[in-house]
Amino acid sequence: MLGVPKQDWPFMLDRTRTAFGANGEQSDPMAVAEAHVDILTYYEDLAARRRREPADDIVTALVNGRVDDRPLTEEEIFLNCDGLISGGNETTRHATVGGLLAFVDHPDQWRRLRAEPSLLAPAVQEILRYTSPALHVLRTASAPADLGGVRIEAGDELALFLAAGNRDETVFPDPDTFDITRSGGRHLTFATGTHFCLGSALATKELEIMFEQLAARVTEPVSVEPARRMASNLIWGYESAPVRLA
């Protein structure tokens, strides 16, 4: 969608994995910083190429787009590309793995999904709630407010933990239970408001296709060995999760 040539996909996956800790390098600040620089530098080159050679892709749209009758700045273009590739490469695949592991831990839910394909849509929403692959977002208060007895002033910066919101027992009864029949309560996995996830529809469709195909083909997913979490304070994901699909 961005227009990255297919031969560069392995490079981009490696850079995003390193930038967010999936390569086990979150403890090396220099490796993380270099990966982010590599991503931004790559899109600087790609944006220049698309100005010369327009194509049917998002980067071409960004370099030619106008907002309030002005072109986007270089910073806006590169950071939009960085956000899109990071979200596309990281969060959805970790939700996929986390969802599969949830079914490994709750085989009754797997059997029910196989028996009732109509539960696919609510199952995907429960996977998104239960896995919460993006841990938190930073927001700036636009007006004073009182929240839970805490005073918030306009301009205060707040770290909002989406995973905690998705376990709010006042919204989700028995929130630590993985239940594909759960209804009611809107999860915060895609955040909310003007910053609602741009790729939410694509991520949902990817998860629906993946688990529809798995449910049609796999009798039972079984964990081969314990999954290893990636070392990241931003992405709740996995370095590895060996699973046998019977």
Side-chain angles (χ1 to χ4, degrees):
M1 293 171 68
L2 281 159
V4 175
K6 194 165 187 176
Q7 64 267 23
D8 293 341
W9 290 4
F11 166 81
M12 193 57 63
L13 178 60
D14 174 77
R15 294 293 77 198
T16 54
R17 283 172 56 85
T18 298
F20 292 98
N23 280 345
E25 297 181 13
Q26 186 70 28
S27 59
D28 184 348
M30 185 60 69
V32 171
E34 288 177 353
H36 280 291
V37 170
D38 287 345
I39 292 170
L40 296 174
T41 301
Y42 181 91
Y43 283 110
E44 180 180 22
D45 295 339
L46 183 58
R49 196 184 325 160
R50 287 294 176 258
R51 288 191 175 97
R52 299 190 305 268
E53 306 167 3
D56 183 19
D57 57 41
I58 290 175
V59 173
T60 300
L62 290 172
V63 299
N64 291 303
R66 301 182 72 84
V67 177
D68 296 331
D69 203 34
R70 69 163 180 83
L72 274 67
T73 65
E74 296 289 279
E75 182 182 35
E76 288 170 336
I77 293 170
F78 304 152
L79 291 180
N80 269 285
C81 291
D82 181 58
L84 287 166
I85 198 67
S86 301
N89 271 355
E90 291 302 304
T91 51
T92 307
R93 65 194 183 92
H94 290 301
T96 303
V97 175
L100 186 58
L101 292 176
F103 280 119
V104 167
D105 292 336
H106 302 82
D108 60 313
Q109 298 295 295
W110 183 252
R111 290 190 292 268
R112 183 152 190 185
L113 179 61
R114 281 176 50 80
E116 302 178 51
S118 62
L119 289 174
L120 178 64
V124 166
Q125 294 305 310
E126 178 69 348
I127 288 169
L128 289 164
R129 181 197 73 84
Y130 192 78
T131 60
S132 299
L135 284 172
H136 57 77
V137 292
L138 183 70
R139 296 290 179 261
T140 303
S142 59
D146 289 294
L147 182 64
V150 176
R151 181 64 177 173
I152 298 170
E153 301 295 345
D156 285 352
E157 293 183 338
L158 309 173
L160 309 179
F161 282 79
L162 305 177
N166 285 342
R167 290 292 201 279
D168 185 348
E169 64 276 4
T170 66
V171 178
F172 305 101
D174 199 8
D176 292 327
T177 297
F178 180 66
D179 179 6
I180 65 171
T181 67
R182 188 185 296 275
S183 63
R186 184 173 61 82
H187 65 72
L188 299 177
T189 300
F190 294 131
T192 188
T194 57
H195 294 283
F196 189 77
C197 176
L198 183 65
S200 59
L202 177 60
T204 299
K205 180 56 65 177
E206 289 176 336
L207 289 167
E208 286 178 351
I209 292 171
M210 173 65 79
F211 284 97
E212 179 183 45
Q213 293 300 312
L214 285 173
R217 303 173 186 214
V218 176
T219 305
E220 184 180 11
V222 180
S223 181
V224 176
E225 59 184 70
R228 289 208 314 272
R229 288 278 186 186
M230 57 188 280
S232 173
N233 66 358
L234 178 61
I235 303 295
W236 193 24
Y238 301 87
E239 282 190 30
S240 67
V243 173
R244 183 178 70 248
L245 305 178

